[in-house]
Amino acid sequence: MENNNNLPLNEQESLKELTPEQKSNRQLAERLFPEDLPSIESLLTRYPDRELPKGAMVTRIAPSPTGFMHIGGMYMALISCRLAHQTNGVYYLRIEDTDQKREVEGARKVVTDSLHKFGLDPDEGEGINGVEKGAYGPYRQSERKDIYKSFIKHLVEIGRAYPCFCSEEELEATHKKQEELNVKSGYYGVWAKYRNADPNIVEEMLNQGKPYIIRFKSLGSNENKIVYNDLLKGQIELPENDLDLVILKSDGLPTYHFAHVIDDHLMGTTHVLRGDEWLSSIPLHRELFKAFEFKCPEYAHIAPINKIDESGGKRKLSKRKDPEANISFFGENGYPEVAVVEYLMNLANSNFEDWRKANPDKLYTEFQLALKKLPDSAGPLFDRVKLNDIAKEKIAGMKAEDLYAKVLDWSSKYDPDFKEILEKDPEYWIKVFSIDRGGNKSRKDITMWSEVKEISAFFNKDRFIEPDWSSFTSKLNTDEIKSIISQYDLVFSLDDSSDKWMEKIKQIAVNFGFAPDTKTYKKNKESFRGHVGEVAQIIRFAITGRTQTPDLYQIMQVLGEEECRKRLTLI
Ligand code: GLU
């Protein structure tokens, strides 16, 4: 082990002043990382403290590119984005692709496209064009290998990391033994085989080319407690870390734990918002930050979105079982993105709903999201009915032209047939979508773009099918119905004002023994067969084949005289 030939002269000089242990650690670090790595000092200079106003929050989302964007990820992105922007801070995207087994082709694009669609493009990191922006990159962990290695090398040098040559079988055997002895399982203390391995043995193993990983040498004890203050969950007591966890895998990439500490430090994250499954890793992360004498960021561990399942039980939204766990579900169904975003705002801060009622015209970004008001450990509940209500409200507030554009855009991806129909006559369809739109009693019958084709099917003149009168319930017989329709055909004119139009229907109602309005009918029920509504229903059914539609007067105006007459003579 005294062979220092690998070391440059000045390093050999400095070795002289070291203890044998320090010397051996230095040599081991050189042996494990012979490559030319950036120095820690140069890295700390390359990533200077951010110059931001006081109180500015630097947040990030750090998805693993699995090809699946979970709605929980979008929820986290929204919260991170709002908090950073509310404080004039920075919200960035870091791609955590250190688990290359899980990496899927095109998965980064799924992340960047989804964020873009929901208006949550990051300030730094990869954008939809695949290009990174920001001075704290690279923002993809697989491109930061050398950075991690520099810091791991440093840990080896100071005796806080070491190679471990244990095979899967050996670790399994240790685990079994721990179970038999009923002691805490894991790689720690006496169970950590290579923690204090003889340097000669280590050297020998390395010479033999034995595969290894690198572990952190913990100085903690499971008997001690750390007190930690979570921004969301409050003060929490956790046992100190005592596990010598893996920090560098055999593929040369770090584990999540290690990369988190290095990246969030160098990239200047002030607030780590992440899933509460990471809460138990706090003692390890704290120990790692301390080993480098880095300041720990603040943490908020966020409870996952839940749902009530078929059996009435509450559980986490599952990627496997619940289609709505995948953010693409909302796009495929054609929910307006803003409705999904506002729904997530509701989940994040329940007072958002009242704010929205009081400020119907403001952008959601004007709402001050409060971290403290996020749901506690129980986690919010995904409620499709609530989402649908918000979507209906949002769609009701849209202009017909915008609605046309949105439906067309959705159809071009998911319903080419409807796209063709819409493109044939944009002006006509904009008129269709203008019915009952604007003002405060806008129609609220559309929840998502995928419903529009069916809801407005009777406007498609080429495909209108003769209404099925056998499904129509009325106290009038077929002859009377026919007679009402033909009388109406004789008198109606599309030049009539809506009042005049109504007058004509009332007149027919009276001819057939119906009251001209509900008030008259209610006063003297015995004298009438019913009221004008029942006669109007007959005309509605003849014109649309439906018993429930938006305003019939407007429908007829849009359909035009020729089409209305055609339909009135179908019976
Ligand atoms: N890549 C980690 C995950 O997907 C990120 C956790 C974090 O935000 O720190 O769970």
Side-chain angles (χ1 to χ4, degrees):
M1 284 297 283
E2 285 304 301
N3 180 358
N4 297 333
N5 290 346
N6 288 340
L7 296 178
L9 264 181
N10 56 348
E11 298 233 355
Q12 291 199 29
E13 273 307 297
S14 61
L15 274 181
K16 285 187 190 142
E17 292 132 42
L18 302 175
T19 64
E21 194 186 337
Q22 285 171 327
K23 235 191 239 177
S24 139
N25 288 337
R26 289 279 286 270
Q27 285 163 343
L28 178 60
E30 264 333 299
R31 173 79 205 256
L32 295 173
F33 301 100
E35 63 265 57
D36 201 12
L37 294 173
S39 71
I40 304 268
E41 295 70 35
S42 72
L43 287 170
L44 295 176
T45 316
R46 192 165 122 203
Y47 296 93
D49 287 348
R50 289 172 181 270
E51 281 179 30
L52 289 168
K54 203 165 170 274
M57 288 167 82
V58 179
T59 63
R60 85 296 190 272
I61 52 157
S64 302
T66 58
F68 183 98
M69 186 82 185
H70 197 287
I71 188 166
M74 201 57 86
Y75 173 65
M76 210 81 88
L78 175 65
I79 299 168
S80 304
C81 176
R82 289 314 323 131
L83 293 176
H85 290 175
Q86 276 171 203
T87 54
N88 298 314
V90 178
Y91 145 75
Y92 71 88
L93 166 66
R94 184 170 67 230
I95 300 285
E96 303 218 319
D97 56 350
T98 55
D99 189 355
Q100 307 233 299
K101 288 194 292 293
R102 288 172 70 200
E103 178 119 30
V104 180
E105 183 75 17
R108 291 197 327 271
K109 192 142 173 56
V110 172
V111 174
T112 52
D113 281 358
S114 311
L115 292 174
H116 178 69
K117 233 181 158 171
F118 289 85
L120 297 171
D121 293 286
D123 305 324
E124 293 177 11
E126 186 166 333
I128 41 161
N129 51 6
V131 178
E132 279 190 358
K133 58 176 178 181
Y136 290 78
Y139 295 86
R140 247 168 92 185
Q141 290 185 327
S142 59
E143 290 179 0
R144 301 171 63 80
K145 272 186 186 170
D146 280 1
I147 300 176
Y148 305 123
K149 281 186 178 169
S150 291
F151 283 97
I152 291 177
K153 183 176 183 182
H154 171 74
L155 285 186
V156 177
E157 278 170 354
I158 63 168
R160 292 300 305 274
Y162 61 90
C164 165
F165 300 89
C166 280
S167 63
E168 283 296 323
E169 294 73 33
E170 271 180 286
L171 293 174
E172 188 51 41
T174 307
H175 182 70
K176 265 209 176 117
K177 212 169 209 162
Q178 289 171 328
E179 269 183 346
E180 276 164 29
L181 295 171
N182 202 15
V183 295
K184 186 170 78 87
S185 65
Y187 199 95
Y188 63 96
V190 290
W191 302 99
K193 184 170 171 189
Y194 290 93
R195 184 181 164 98
N196 296 313
D198 180 333
N200 295 319
I201 294 178
V202 173
E203 174 81 10
E204 183 53 35
M205 300 281 239
L206 291 172
N207 287 343
Q208 285 171 16
K210 276 252 195 182
Y212 66 89
I213 44 101
I214 296 192
R215 291 183 182 272
F216 177 55
K217 192 186 256 183
S218 170
L219 302 182
S221 157
N222 204 236
E223 316 268 278
N224 299 338
K225 298 258 180 275
I226 65 159
V227 179
Y228 142 79
N229 200 15
D230 191 272
L231 291 179
L232 212 53
K233 299 189 191 284
Q235 214 175 65
I236 294 180
E237 241 188 37
L238 291 162
E240 229 171 52
N241 173 61
D242 66 348
L243 297 176
D244 285 0
L245 281 155
V246 180
I247 51 177
L248 191 71
K249 299 178 293 168
S250 53
D251 61 4
L253 283 163
T255 52
Y256 164 72
H257 306 295
F258 192 77
H260 152 56
V261 171
I262 300 304
D263 291 345
D264 281 313
H265 176 75
L266 294 182
M267 295 177 173
T269 312
T270 60
H271 292 75
V272 171
L273 274 56
R274 63 182 179 186
D276 61 5
E277 70 272 21
W278 296 112
L279 184 62
S280 58
S281 302
I282 279 288
L284 166 66
H285 297 170
R286 291 260 293 235
E287 199 185 354
L288 279 166
F289 273 101
K290 203 165 150 207
F292 289 110
E293 293 176 25
F294 290 162
K295 183 172 177 279
C296 253
E298 300 276 1
Y299 290 91
H301 286 94
I302 301 192
I305 302 177
N306 298 294
K307 78 175 272 181
I308 301 285
D309 67 10
E310 304 67 38
S311 58
K314 189 174 163 182
R315 62 165 171 77
K316 230 163 102 166
L317 263 188
S318 145
K319 174 173 169 174
R320 241 174 350 98
K321 294 189 213 150
D322 307 312
E324 68 270 36
N326 190 342
I327 202 72
S328 68
F329 167 86
F330 302 93
E332 283 156 18
N333 281 285
Y335 276 102
E337 286 79 18
V338 63
V340 178
V341 168
E342 294 218 355
Y343 177 62
L344 293 177
M345 287 293 282
N346 263 308
L347 291 187
N349 274 186
S350 56
N351 57 323
F352 177 79
E353 192 171 357
D354 287 341
W355 177 87
R356 176 43 87 213
K357 273 190 201 128
N359 303 282
D361 301 322
K362 285 194 177 167
L363 291 173
Y364 82 88
T365 47
E366 289 177 59
F367 174 79
Q368 283 292 307
L369 190 82
L371 188 54
K372 292 267 180 267
K373 288 195 185 132
L374 250 63
D376 60 11
S377 319
L381 211 55
F382 183 83
D383 175 2
R384 188 92 184 264
V385 177
K386 183 90 201 195
L387 167 65
N388 289 353
D389 284 347
I390 295 176
K392 279 181 189 155
E393 204 65 51
K394 287 283 156 203
I395 295 176
M398 286 173 88
K399 285 205 198 95
E401 288 79 4
D402 296 340
L403 192 136
Y404 174 83
K406 290 277 184 193
V407 181
L408 185 65
D409 181 51
W410 179 86
S411 305
S412 32
K413 285 190 207 103
Y414 302 105
D415 189 349
D417 174 60
F418 195 37
K419 172 184 185 257
E420 206 177 299
I421 296 169
L422 290 169
E423 275 182 334
K424 241 193 219 165
D425 194 348
E427 232 176 275
Y428 173 72
W429 286 101
I430 289 172
K431 272 196 215 144
V432 168
F433 299 143
S434 302
I435 295 174
D436 278 353
R437 189 160 291 281
N440 45 11
K441 46 179 216 0
S442 273
R443 57 192 282 196
K444 295 207 174 92
D445 55 345
I446 307 171
T447 311
M448 40 196 171
W449 312 133
S450 54
E451 295 172 348
V452 176
K453 186 183 191 180
E454 165 54 23
I455 287 176
S456 49
F458 60 85
F459 284 105
N460 188 349
K461 297 179 186 174
D462 301 336
R463 294 197 197 158
F464 184 71
I465 36 174
E466 196 175 327
D468 172 16
W469 286 95
S470 67
S471 69
F472 187 79
T473 41
S474 170
K475 43 175 92 82
L476 295 160
N477 62 39
T478 311
D479 285 343
E480 283 178 307
I481 289 177
K482 276 187 182 171
S483 172
I484 285 178
I485 292 174
S486 51
Q487 273 199 25
Y488 184 65
D489 187 25
L490 286 177
V491 297
F492 96 89
S493 159
L494 289 189
D495 295 334
D496 289 343
S497 68
S498 84
D499 286 348
K500 184 121 191 250
W501 172 85
M502 196 61 218
E503 274 314 310
K504 287 180 175 172
I505 298 182
K506 282 183 181 174
Q507 188 51 56
I508 297 174
V510 171
N511 296 348
F512 282 80
F514 287 79
D517 51 67
T518 45
K519 225 169 153 189
T520 316
Y521 173 66
K522 275 185 191 150
K523 261 198 232 150
N524 202 354
K525 281 189 182 170
E526 307 76 51
S527 317
F528 299 104
R529 297 173 79 184
H531 62 76
V532 62
E534 294 173 56
V535 175
Q537 270 310 68
I538 292 173
I539 298 164
R540 184 187 309 280
F541 197 71
I543 297 284
T544 65
R546 302 196 177 172
T547 50
Q548 270 191 337
T549 68
D551 181 52
L552 185 58
Y553 173 76
Q554 293 183 60
I555 291 175
M556 291 178 67
Q557 292 286 331
V558 171
L559 284 171
E561 170 144 3
E562 191 189 336
E563 184 66 17
C564 289
R565 294 222 183 274
K566 211 158 103 189
R567 294 186 184 190
L568 290 172
T569 47
L570 273 180
I571 186 167

